[in-house]
Amino acid sequence: NLAGRVQYQWDISPAGQVKAVRVTRSEVANGDMLNGCVMKVFKDMKFPAAKNKQPTTADIGFPFGKES
């Protein structure tokens, strides 16, 4: 019964490792378990090293469940 959009933001080190993940906005009621799973996926991701040797912050929203 989880439905709605969740906005996630994550910090990527210059080496390509995800250092932090946070929920910046959520329309999903009681979505703690969902967010925990999604945040673990982000933390396990590996990105290419930054050519400019600078950290990056990504910010994107994902829809979950069926739209009404």
Side-chain angles (χ1 to χ4, degrees), residues 11-65:
D11 301 326
I12 306 166
S13 75
Q17 296 174 317
V18 176
K19 294 297 186 179
V21 182
R22 60 204 154 272
V23 174
T24 58
R25 189 178 70 205
S26 178
E27 299 170 354
V28 177
N30 301 315
D32 292 340
M33 287 183 68
L34 169 71
N35 289 329
C37 290
V38 172
M39 290 168 58
K40 182 180 178 345
V41 169
F42 282 123
K43 287 180 184 177
D44 291 342
M45 293 175 101
K46 178 78 171 146
F47 293 87
K51 291 180 182 180
N52 65 2
K53 300 186 185 334
Q54 297 295 312
T56 302
T57 298
D59 192 327
I60 191 166
F62 295 98
F64 292 97

